[in-house]
Amino acid sequence: MNAPPRVSTPQVLWLVGAIAMVVLPHAGRVPLWATALFLALALWRLAELAGRATPPGRAVRLALALAVAVGVYASYGQVFGRNPGVALLVAFSGLKLVETHSRRDAFVGVLLGYFLVVTNLLYTQSIPTGLYLTAALTLLTATLAALALPPGTAWPVRRQLGLAGSLLLQASPVAVALFVLFPRLPGPLWALPSDAHSARSGLDDTMSPGLISRLGLSDEVAFRVRFSGAQPSRDELYWRGPVLWTTDGRSWSAGEGGQESPPQVLAEGPTTGYQMTLEPHGRRWLYALDAPVEPPPGTQVRGDLQLLAAAPVRQRMRYEATSATRYRLPALGERQRRLALELPPGAHPDAVALARGWLAGGADPEARVTRALLLFREQPFVYSLNPPLLLGDPVDEFLFGSRKGFCEHYAGAFTVLMRAAGVPARVVTGYQGGEVNPLDGYLVVRQRDAHAWAEVWLEERGWVRVDPTGAVSPARVERGLDAALPEAVAPFAGLLLDEDSGVYRLLHGIRHGWDAANNWWNQWVLGYEQRRQRELLGRVGIDPSDWRRLGTALALLTGVPLLVVSLLLHLRRGRRLDPARRAYDRFCRALARRGVARAPAEAPLAFARRASRSLPAEAGTIESVTGAYVAVRYAPSGGDLERLRLLVRTFAAASRWPRGQSRGTRAGGTRFD
Amino acid sequence: MAERPWRVLLRDFFGVGRATPPAGAYTVDRHRVFVLPTAQGYAFGATAGAVLIGAINYANSLAYLVAFLLAGLGLVSALHAHRNLLGLTLRPARVEPVFAGGEALFRVCLEAPGPRPAVTVAWRRADAGTARARWHEVDAPLPGAGSVCVELPVPAPRRGRLALGRLRVGTRYPLGLVRAWSPLELDTGCLVYPRPAGALPLPAPASPDPAPASGARGPAEQDFAGLRDYVHGDSSRRIHWKAAARGRDLPVKLFAGEAGQEVALRFPEAGAGGPEERLSQLARWVLEAERAGVRYALELPGTSLAAGHGEGHAERCLAALALYGARPGTP
């Protein structure tokens, strides 16, 4: 009314705790100085509570605010955008803490906290984040509730948190109903700041030794696949990504090879339909099983069968496609043939000499391919995640020196050999294999399944996939990286576990469970966008564009849970009566049976007077019960609850039977009461 | 109060078995509860809206969920606020009469069958120096089942019966986002006595003392009988300044003839001013006579009270003065 009420010590503690909780995950995202400033200001506020500091003056706060703005500009070169915005919010929430002295300030602080919760979601929406932020929301709501208590009152922490938790729990059905039914709008309302999406891990559009093996230890999911029919066998699961045509002798890049119109794919066997859920990787290409026959709508198919989306994939993306795993690609243009034979002049002299030897030996192209694979199989080549660093000519040194390499070494060297031997060849990068989660049936492909292989052009058969890694380590293709390289079993903290051991199976089971939960979360919570909403609502017969039916459903789905909450609140009302009140109510019921009912708002003493007039015989009892009740309820000393209960019990038992009945019956009655 | 669920539902949703509150007490039922957002509630809603816009813009599913959770929190807290008032009974307690110009202290007791945290009672009163009445609010929390009484001070500028007027019992529980309130009027009033004033001396005792004619001698000429403490309304002429200088706080001179005798306090003799001034003079006389230990009778046009003495008599006399000219029927 007049001056806004001041915050109490518990209220400040709630606020500082809640704000600290939502700021904490940002600590690694904002510059160090912003975190340090927040911490310093929070501590300042706590010191002020303890009486060891005075609040900063207006001038100091203004100077700090300016310094924060300058600092953010210095750190980011701008003050708009996601990261600068979050840094500003973090620093300003610290400033808000030191200037919080009235309840109104504290309330603004809580609203800031709710906002900070959402800023966390711009970085990650994983299940652990969701759980953490749910806890943060509970703390913020508890703070809000603490601020609404009358001055001078404070509840115990558990009660305050319990109230906040139950409020959030009661609000959640409404939230879920709105979540399902609120129309989803595609696309941003206005241009997103350029840093809205951070860099993602995944394949690059170039390949050089070490780039793919770098991913070998990453357990991050690249994409998930659900097959609409039977799943092809594991050694056919080659997920095509960037196709690389050009090499400078060390690294491979896409070059100009794919700029042709898409070739005609002649399927030689059943095709496979599937739905991909691609994790954002910040690049334009999409992954597809080997040779896409029916690409997803809105995508472009390049000449080398690589799929391109209209824009870089910045959000989890779902698409459907049909592919062939046995197929023919009949055509090879003249330009493509030239590109597929090109080698940097003067590079890899030993490898080129070896391959020229095969060519001179008169073997046909297919035999030359076999010769190269035999080379990998018969020489002591080793498949390894940690190949030695190649300082000289990478291909020559690998083929004739170290002979240790990961898939990119084999694919690169093999393609060089083929080109030198006059067989058009190109490198394909992507993923190979994947793991079926038995819990939800999705095939999960992780970064560690990243792979590189080669395709060679054979006149009679077209482009043919050749995986030189399979020649060295068949297990990689048939059973995956874990089987081929036990030391690469990263998820279990580098433990070398036997695949059949109980611990391994247990950990594997946990991982499957966790992964299925994540997938469900991704598919139905995070991936709940316009299309999925349409699909789900369509299943229950609601057309999302029919606003009347949508509105009815929304009203029903939010109204019913609210009605339930309302009913529960009502029913709980009676259960919280204190024992004295319960005893007294029982006494009143007994009197009501005798014809004297207490009006709802009649004071106990007034009622006692009236009842004594109506039942003069019971006046003594009425007086002693009422006196005992009033003493228990209102006397400072507390009164004797047991005596009250005893009096009421006796009176109620006596009142159950009309006067004149035998004493024996009445005495017996008390036992049941 | 049998709190069986079905009976609660029948009573609160269909009005079955609901008794009307007895006169003077008021029990909040669901038909008379209003719920509206507070300023904080609007700010909270704006925050939820901002979160929703952010969620749409970034196509962020969990941000959608947060926005809807905040919306749900607002709705649920409205239900809680509503429920926090239901079943609350307000009953007026006895109010001590005051003199005009003072402040009436109304007392209202709240009782609830269960805990009702953060309940407030708002009433209208004019602030010092302003004529317009404004709403004031006092906390009446009921942390457990039980009762609590609050005091509502209201200025009493004029004699007569002062009504408490409209009250609002309200709550912002649990989150301060919505306010539920129920307007009510309690059958309670405060008796406001006329302000004791006037410079006329207490009339001389009547018949039992035959000697000098009443009113002919002023108090100054009477025999000094003793000292008593100052009472509001005493004339400054009667203060024994010498004794006051010696350290007694404001002693007032008492004269022989004032004790053990009977005076008649008559309306026509109470000065030459208007009726209000006369009533003020009479009130002062009543107090003076009471302090002096004199038996006194009160005679007003249309009412007269026989001579008497003591607290009860004074109260009856002052009440008669307070209600002089009021419509009959009021106590």
mmCIF file of all heavy atoms in Angstrom, chain B residues 196-227:
data_model
loop_
_atom_site.group_PDB
_atom_site.id
_atom_site.type_symbol
_atom_site.label_atom_id
_atom_site.label_comp_id
_atom_site.label_asym_id
_atom_site.label_seq_id
_atom_site.Cartn_x
_atom_site.Cartn_y
_atom_site.Cartn_z
ATOM 1 N N PRO B 196 -15.945 15.336 25.300
ATOM 2 C CA PRO B 196 -16.138 16.138 26.503
ATOM 3 C C PRO B 196 -15.504 17.492 26.302
ATOM 4 O O PRO B 196 -14.316 17.571 25.975
ATOM 5 C CB PRO B 196 -15.413 15.362 27.602
ATOM 6 C CG PRO B 196 -14.960 14.093 26.977
ATOM 7 C CD PRO B 196 -14.994 14.255 25.504
ATOM 8 N N ALA B 197 -16.292 18.542 26.458
ATOM 9 C CA ALA B 197 -15.755 19.892 26.278
ATOM 10 C C ALA B 197 -16.682 20.860 27.003
ATOM 11 O O ALA B 197 -17.741 20.474 27.510
ATOM 12 C CB ALA B 197 -15.674 20.240 24.793
ATOM 13 N N GLY B 198 -16.284 22.099 27.017
ATOM 14 C CA GLY B 198 -17.122 23.107 27.665
ATOM 15 C C GLY B 198 -16.472 23.577 28.962
ATOM 16 O O GLY B 198 -15.756 22.811 29.626
ATOM 17 N N ALA B 199 -16.677 24.824 29.259
ATOM 18 C CA ALA B 199 -15.977 25.424 30.396
ATOM 19 C C ALA B 199 -16.863 25.587 31.623
ATOM 20 O O ALA B 199 -16.403 25.995 32.676
ATOM 21 C CB ALA B 199 -15.423 26.788 29.992
ATOM 22 N N LEU B 200 -18.147 25.254 31.491
ATOM 23 C CA LEU B 200 -19.046 25.488 32.613
ATOM 24 C C LEU B 200 -18.713 24.560 33.773
ATOM 25 O O LEU B 200 -18.381 23.405 33.549
ATOM 26 C CB LEU B 200 -20.507 25.270 32.191
ATOM 27 C CG LEU B 200 -21.063 26.292 31.189
ATOM 28 C CD1 LEU B 200 -22.503 25.941 30.851
ATOM 29 C CD2 LEU B 200 -20.969 27.689 31.771
ATOM 30 N N PRO B 201 -18.808 25.087 34.994
ATOM 31 C CA PRO B 201 -18.558 24.244 36.166
ATOM 32 C C PRO B 201 -19.708 23.279 36.372
ATOM 33 O O PRO B 201 -20.804 23.484 35.858
ATOM 34 C CB PRO B 201 -18.463 25.249 37.312
ATOM 35 C CG PRO B 201 -19.284 26.407 36.846
ATOM 36 C CD PRO B 201 -19.185 26.466 35.352
ATOM 37 N N LEU B 202 -19.405 22.233 37.093
ATOM 38 C CA LEU B 202 -20.420 21.264 37.437
ATOM 39 C C LEU B 202 -21.544 21.972 38.192
ATOM 40 O O LEU B 202 -21.280 22.764 39.083
ATOM 41 C CB LEU B 202 -19.786 20.197 38.347
ATOM 42 C CG LEU B 202 -20.474 18.859 38.459
ATOM 43 C CD1 LEU B 202 -20.511 18.172 37.098
ATOM 44 C CD2 LEU B 202 -19.714 18.008 39.475
ATOM 45 N N PRO B 203 -22.784 21.723 37.825
ATOM 46 C CA PRO B 203 -23.873 22.407 38.541
ATOM 47 C C PRO B 203 -23.819 22.070 40.026
ATOM 48 O O PRO B 203 -23.343 20.987 40.401
ATOM 49 C CB PRO B 203 -25.127 21.823 37.901
ATOM 50 C CG PRO B 203 -24.679 21.209 36.622
ATOM 51 C CD PRO B 203 -23.270 20.831 36.790
ATOM 52 N N ALA B 204 -24.307 23.011 40.790
ATOM 53 C CA ALA B 204 -24.308 22.816 42.252
ATOM 54 C C ALA B 204 -25.277 21.706 42.616
ATOM 55 O O ALA B 204 -26.245 21.471 41.892
ATOM 56 C CB ALA B 204 -24.730 24.109 42.940
ATOM 57 N N PRO B 205 -25.014 21.003 43.689
ATOM 58 C CA PRO B 205 -25.890 19.910 44.101
ATOM 59 C C PRO B 205 -27.304 20.412 44.355
ATOM 60 O O PRO B 205 -27.497 21.552 44.761
ATOM 61 C CB PRO B 205 -25.255 19.399 45.389
ATOM 62 C CG PRO B 205 -23.946 20.095 45.518
ATOM 63 C CD PRO B 205 -23.893 21.230 44.576
ATOM 64 N N ALA B 206 -28.217 19.584 44.129
ATOM 65 C CA ALA B 206 -29.624 19.954 44.299
ATOM 66 C C ALA B 206 -30.068 19.769 45.751
ATOM 67 O O ALA B 206 -29.252 19.755 46.645
ATOM 68 C CB ALA B 206 -30.485 19.139 43.342
ATOM 69 N N SER B 207 -31.321 19.523 45.931
ATOM 70 C CA SER B 207 -32.071 19.612 47.198
ATOM 71 C C SER B 207 -31.377 19.195 48.498
ATOM 72 O O SER B 207 -31.334 20.006 49.420
ATOM 73 C CB SER B 207 -33.398 18.884 47.036
ATOM 74 O OG SER B 207 -33.157 17.655 46.367
ATOM 75 N N PRO B 208 -30.780 17.949 48.623
ATOM 76 C CA PRO B 208 -30.409 17.508 49.968
ATOM 77 C C PRO B 208 -29.633 18.567 50.740
ATOM 78 O O PRO B 208 -29.731 18.649 51.962
ATOM 79 C CB PRO B 208 -29.545 16.266 49.723
ATOM 80 C CG PRO B 208 -29.919 15.785 48.366
ATOM 81 C CD PRO B 208 -30.373 16.998 47.603
ATOM 82 N N ASP B 209 -28.896 19.385 50.036
ATOM 83 C CA ASP B 209 -28.135 20.454 50.691
ATOM 84 C C ASP B 209 -28.940 21.739 50.577
ATOM 85 O O ASP B 209 -29.077 22.290 49.493
ATOM 86 C CB ASP B 209 -26.781 20.587 49.967
ATOM 87 C CG ASP B 209 -25.784 21.320 50.813
ATOM 88 O OD1 ASP B 209 -26.181 21.762 51.894
ATOM 89 O OD2 ASP B 209 -24.631 21.444 50.383
ATOM 90 N N PRO B 210 -29.497 22.201 51.650
ATOM 91 C CA PRO B 210 -30.421 23.315 51.550
ATOM 92 C C PRO B 210 -29.732 24.633 51.216
ATOM 93 O O PRO B 210 -30.198 25.348 50.340
ATOM 94 C CB PRO B 210 -31.049 23.388 52.955
ATOM 95 C CG PRO B 210 -30.063 22.703 53.858
ATOM 96 C CD PRO B 210 -29.232 21.774 53.029
ATOM 97 N N ALA B 211 -28.623 24.896 51.855
ATOM 98 C CA ALA B 211 -28.018 26.220 51.838
ATOM 99 C C ALA B 211 -27.941 26.922 50.492
ATOM 100 O O ALA B 211 -28.939 26.946 49.768
ATOM 101 C CB ALA B 211 -26.698 26.165 52.578
ATOM 102 N N PRO B 212 -26.782 27.452 50.092
ATOM 103 C CA PRO B 212 -26.835 28.528 49.099
ATOM 104 C C PRO B 212 -27.464 28.125 47.766
ATOM 105 O O PRO B 212 -27.481 26.956 47.402
ATOM 106 C CB PRO B 212 -25.357 28.877 48.895
ATOM 107 C CG PRO B 212 -24.564 28.055 49.836
ATOM 108 C CD PRO B 212 -25.441 27.021 50.413
ATOM 109 N N ALA B 213 -27.960 29.116 47.103
ATOM 110 C CA ALA B 213 -28.644 28.882 45.845
ATOM 111 C C ALA B 213 -27.690 28.255 44.829
ATOM 112 O O ALA B 213 -26.522 28.627 44.767
ATOM 113 C CB ALA B 213 -29.197 30.205 45.298
ATOM 114 N N SER B 214 -28.246 27.312 44.098
ATOM 115 C CA SER B 214 -27.377 26.586 43.163
ATOM 116 C C SER B 214 -26.868 27.511 42.083
ATOM 117 O O SER B 214 -27.575 28.360 41.593
ATOM 118 C CB SER B 214 -28.159 25.432 42.530
ATOM 119 O OG SER B 214 -29.271 25.953 41.835
ATOM 120 N N GLY B 215 -25.638 27.351 41.743
ATOM 121 C CA GLY B 215 -25.062 28.123 40.646
ATOM 122 C C GLY B 215 -24.618 29.491 41.063
ATOM 123 O O GLY B 215 -23.900 30.158 40.327
ATOM 124 N N ALA B 216 -25.010 29.969 42.292
ATOM 125 C CA ALA B 216 -24.662 31.324 42.670
ATOM 126 C C ALA B 216 -23.181 31.440 42.974
ATOM 127 O O ALA B 216 -22.548 32.428 42.660
ATOM 128 C CB ALA B 216 -25.472 31.764 43.880
ATOM 129 N N ARG B 217 -22.652 30.378 43.579
ATOM 130 C CA ARG B 217 -21.230 30.426 43.915
ATOM 131 C C ARG B 217 -20.429 29.576 42.945
ATOM 132 O O ARG B 217 -20.790 28.456 42.628
ATOM 133 C CB ARG B 217 -21.045 29.899 45.345
ATOM 134 C CG ARG B 217 -21.324 30.957 46.403
ATOM 135 C CD ARG B 217 -21.433 30.329 47.756
ATOM 136 N NE ARG B 217 -20.354 29.365 47.986
ATOM 137 C CZ ARG B 217 -20.143 28.784 49.159
ATOM 138 N NH1 ARG B 217 -20.896 29.054 50.181
ATOM 139 N NH2 ARG B 217 -19.175 27.916 49.324
ATOM 140 N N GLY B 218 -19.361 30.122 42.481
ATOM 141 C CA GLY B 218 -18.471 29.349 41.611
ATOM 142 C C GLY B 218 -17.635 28.428 42.459
ATOM 143 O O GLY B 218 -17.631 28.539 43.681
ATOM 144 N N PRO B 219 -16.971 27.508 41.839
ATOM 145 C CA PRO B 219 -16.155 26.547 42.555
ATOM 146 C C PRO B 219 -15.064 27.236 43.376
ATOM 147 O O PRO B 219 -14.668 26.753 44.433
ATOM 148 C CB PRO B 219 -15.536 25.685 41.452
ATOM 149 C CG PRO B 219 -16.166 26.099 40.183
ATOM 150 C CD PRO B 219 -16.940 27.363 40.418
ATOM 151 N N ALA B 220 -14.623 28.397 42.860
ATOM 152 C CA ALA B 220 -13.519 29.053 43.535
ATOM 153 C C ALA B 220 -13.905 29.482 44.947
ATOM 154 O O ALA B 220 -13.069 29.550 45.829
ATOM 155 C CB ALA B 220 -13.068 30.274 42.749
ATOM 156 N N GLU B 221 -15.218 29.753 45.122
ATOM 157 C CA GLU B 221 -15.633 30.228 46.431
ATOM 158 C C GLU B 221 -15.936 29.095 47.372
ATOM 159 O O GLU B 221 -16.160 29.305 48.561
ATOM 160 C CB GLU B 221 -16.872 31.116 46.284
ATOM 161 C CG GLU B 221 -16.578 32.370 45.479
ATOM 162 C CD GLU B 221 -17.811 32.878 44.777
ATOM 163 O OE1 GLU B 221 -18.879 32.861 45.392
ATOM 164 O OE2 GLU B 221 -17.712 33.247 43.594
ATOM 165 N N GLN B 222 -16.018 27.832 46.831
ATOM 166 C CA GLN B 222 -16.368 26.715 47.695
ATOM 167 C C GLN B 222 -15.158 26.305 48.519
ATOM 168 O O GLN B 222 -14.022 26.654 48.210
ATOM 169 C CB GLN B 222 -16.862 25.541 46.867
ATOM 170 C CG GLN B 222 -18.195 25.862 46.220
ATOM 171 C CD GLN B 222 -18.635 24.770 45.280
ATOM 172 O OE1 GLN B 222 -17.820 23.970 44.849
ATOM 173 N NE2 GLN B 222 -19.908 24.766 44.966
ATOM 174 N N ASP B 223 -15.444 25.459 49.498
ATOM 175 C CA ASP B 223 -14.347 25.001 50.352
ATOM 176 C C ASP B 223 -13.540 23.942 49.627
ATOM 177 O O ASP B 223 -14.080 23.007 49.044
ATOM 178 C CB ASP B 223 -14.912 24.421 51.651
ATOM 179 C CG ASP B 223 -15.720 25.475 52.396
ATOM 180 O OD1 ASP B 223 -15.303 26.638 52.327
ATOM 181 O OD2 ASP B 223 -16.760 25.108 52.989
ATOM 182 N N PHE B 224 -12.276 24.094 49.765
ATOM 183 C CA PHE B 224 -11.363 23.163 49.122
ATOM 184 C C PHE B 224 -11.431 21.823 49.832
ATOM 185 O O PHE B 224 -11.388 21.726 51.045
ATOM 186 C CB PHE B 224 -9.940 23.730 49.177
ATOM 187 C CG PHE B 224 -8.917 22.822 48.600
ATOM 188 C CD1 PHE B 224 -8.881 22.609 47.226
ATOM 189 C CD2 PHE B 224 -8.001 22.180 49.409
ATOM 190 C CE1 PHE B 224 -7.931 21.781 46.670
ATOM 191 C CE2 PHE B 224 -7.053 21.344 48.843
ATOM 192 C CZ PHE B 224 -7.009 21.142 47.471
ATOM 193 N N ALA B 225 -11.651 20.755 49.138
ATOM 194 C CA ALA B 225 -11.861 19.457 49.772
ATOM 195 C C ALA B 225 -10.734 18.460 49.496
ATOM 196 O O ALA B 225 -10.588 17.478 50.191
ATOM 197 C CB ALA B 225 -13.171 18.841 49.296
ATOM 198 N N GLY B 226 -9.964 18.674 48.479
ATOM 199 C CA GLY B 226 -8.866 17.726 48.210
ATOM 200 C C GLY B 226 -8.414 17.809 46.767
ATOM 201 O O GLY B 226 -8.804 18.725 46.035
ATOM 202 N N LEU B 227 -7.594 16.828 46.354
ATOM 203 C CA LEU B 227 -7.067 16.795 44.985
ATOM 204 C C LEU B 227 -7.384 15.453 44.344
ATOM 205 O O LEU B 227 -7.476 14.430 45.014
ATOM 206 C CB LEU B 227 -5.534 16.987 44.991
ATOM 207 C CG LEU B 227 -5.024 18.370 45.414
ATOM 208 C CD1 LEU B 227 -3.508 18.318 45.561
ATOM 209 C CD2 LEU B 227 -5.433 19.411 44.393
#
